[in-house]
Amino acid sequence: MNEALLSVSRLAKSFQSGVEQIPVLSDISLALAAGESLALMGRSGSGKSTLLNLLCGLELPDSGTISIAGNVFDSGLTSNGHSGERRWADLRRQHLGVVFQEANLMPAMSLLDNVRLRAKLAGKDESACATWLDRLAIGSLADRYPDQVSGGQRQRAALAMVFAMEPALILADEPTGSLDRLTADEVADELFRLQSDFGCGLILATHDAELAARCDQRLDLAHRASS
Ligand SMILES: Nc1ncnc2c1ncn2[C@@H]1O[C@H](COP(=O)(O)OP(=O)(O)O)[C@@H](O)[C@H]1O
Ligand SMILES: [Mg+2]
């Protein structure tokens, strides 16, 4: 049996609104093996982005445990102090590829330099970066700046950045949500193709049922919230 790349046990998260505590996620458990994909579904406000933020340490759970590639985190970050924050930061830099709805590129750097920077921060081979742009069919745009290419091309560059860091797990938050249908399908095809070639895990937040159907597992947060 494949050992779990990611395992999440009984995760809960609420936010404070005035004096009220608003529960967003409760009793979330899941397991993902390397090479597997999971679609995180649910209507707007159901907690998809919150769960992704918990899985990369940008939010802390109220309770529950997250284990990623043998690194175990619980809700006790405050008691662990800075060591917990540093462990999350190291994990994000080296092993977690995060993709957002809008590509998060440095505007004053070329596409290639953006990819190189990401590889360098992860301690990975910078000489392979041009090849990642080629594999995403934007090799000819390597010297362009982000504002000189289309939204779909920027999102391809964001994927090149993620794969150049050789991630163990990709966390993608509606990565095709701002693209037209045709471009969205092309970018999604690249994401699934490279994820499968590369053998990393993928968690994909989406409201798109077609996209979700391509994943190995599904977790429907809206269904959980209303049940
Ligand atoms: N930092 C925050 N403070 C207070 N409430 C938040 C915060 N982040 C998210 N929420 C609330 O949590 C719920 C889930 O939000 P989110 O995870 O962004 O949903 P989704 O990504 O599925 O649209 C929403 O009701 C949102 O208003
Ligand atoms: Mg969201």
Side-chain angles (χ1 to χ4, degrees):
M1 195 183 98
N2 262 346
E3 197 183 326
L5 163 67
L6 167 72
S7 78
V8 169
S9 173
R10 311 213 63 179
L11 212 55
K13 178 70 180 172
S14 55
F15 289 108
Q16 188 90 28
S17 169
V19 289
E20 232 186 318
Q21 198 76 5
I22 313 275
V24 175
L25 300 171
S26 65
D27 203 15
I28 301 283
S29 297
L30 57 95
L32 192 77
E36 258 191 325
S37 55
L38 179 144
L40 205 53
M41 296 206 70
R43 59 184 176 234
S44 190
S46 59
K48 300 181 297 297
S49 297
T50 301
L51 182 51
L52 291 179
N53 286 339
L54 291 169
L55 296 180
C56 64
L58 294 178
E59 296 275 6
L60 285 183
D62 301 335
S63 59
T65 309
I66 299 169
S67 167
I68 303 178
N71 297 276
V72 180
F73 299 91
D74 56 27
S75 56
L77 185 61
T78 41
S79 55
N80 296 338
H82 294 304
S83 73
E85 273 175 49
R86 196 172 306 130
R87 284 170 60 230
W88 267 120
D90 287 346
L91 194 69
R92 273 196 302 274
R93 197 178 61 247
Q94 294 176 347
H95 300 299
L96 299 181
V98 184
V99 190
F100 298 100
Q101 185 167 341
E102 302 277 349
N104 209 355
L105 306 176
M106 302 286 261
M109 293 172 73
S110 70
L111 299 189
L112 180 57
D113 284 343
N114 267 281
V115 180
R116 280 196 183 126
L117 176 63
R118 197 71 195 74
K120 185 176 177 176
L121 289 171
K124 298 290 157 40
D125 180 12
E126 287 175 69
S127 65
C129 291
T131 312
W132 280 112
L133 290 177
D134 286 339
R135 290 182 73 175
L136 282 146
I138 49 169
S140 63
L141 307 176
D143 295 329
R144 298 252 194 118
Y145 290 86
D147 67 355
Q148 296 173 325
V149 301
S150 71
Q153 290 163 341
R154 274 195 293 279
Q155 207 54 314
R156 285 168 184 268
L159 295 187
M161 287 166 73
V162 157
F163 284 102
M165 67 174 286
E166 300 173 19
L169 176 64
I170 297 177
L171 302 172
D173 196 352
E174 306 194 34
T176 59
S178 66
L179 305 175
D180 64 84
R181 182 80 235 183
L182 194 63
T183 311
D185 285 348
E186 286 174 1
V187 169
D189 286 349
E190 299 292 0
L191 175 59
F192 283 114
R193 184 173 61 80
L194 293 174
Q195 182 246 339
S196 152
D197 284 0
F198 195 70
C200 55
L202 170 67
I203 300 200
L204 175 69
T206 182
H207 344 254
D208 184 334
E210 270 180 46
L211 212 52
R214 298 174 65 172
C215 292
D216 303 309
Q217 298 186 45
R218 288 172 56 145
L219 178 63
D220 195 332
L221 296 176
H223 176 70
R224 290 170 51 91
S226 60
S227 62

